[in-house]
Structure formats: structure tokens, C-alpha cells
Amino acid sequence: MPKRFRLTRRFPVAMTEDGYRRLKRFAEETGLEEGEALSFLFENFNSVINEDTFSHRLNLFLREIEARKK
């Protein structure tokens, strides 16, 4: 039986409530732990994102964050 990936980095993360709920749902759907799910998403980032909508969604998110800070 193959060994599970060893998670070598730990860092405090602040996430939006919606983002955290989606991460938990993704982890449950795939049978991964939350840290493993994040590792998968970032290790496969270029094949996971939709390049056509990424910059638009990022700009929307950045504006939302600025509005929340006010």
C-alpha cells in the first residue's frame, strides 16, 4: 500500500467563509483531507483553472476584498 503524501508545510490561513465551505465540500467529495485538497489544487493549478475567466474572477474578488476592508 502506498504511503500517503507527507504534508511538510503548515501555515496560518485566513479564508472567506464561502471559500472554506467550498474547500471542505471539495475535500469530502474527493476523499481528501483539507490540506491534501489544497495541495492538489495548487500542484495542478494550471490545469484546474479556466484561463478564459481567471483574470476576470480575480479582479472581482480583489474588488470584493477592498470593499470588505472599508
Side-chain angles (χ1 to χ4, degrees), residues 14-25 61 68:
M15 296 184 73
T16 63
E17 190 63 33
D18 289 343
Y20 184 66
R21 273 191 249 119
R22 185 61 186 105
L23 172 64
K24 285 183 66 130
R25 190 170 76 215
F61 185 74
R68 291 178 193 177

Side-chain angles (χ1 to χ4, degrees), residues 2-8 36 43:
K3 292 182 181 179
R4 290 184 72 85
F5 289 107
R6 194 173 124 218
L7 300 177
T8 59
E36 294 168 334
E43 287 176 15

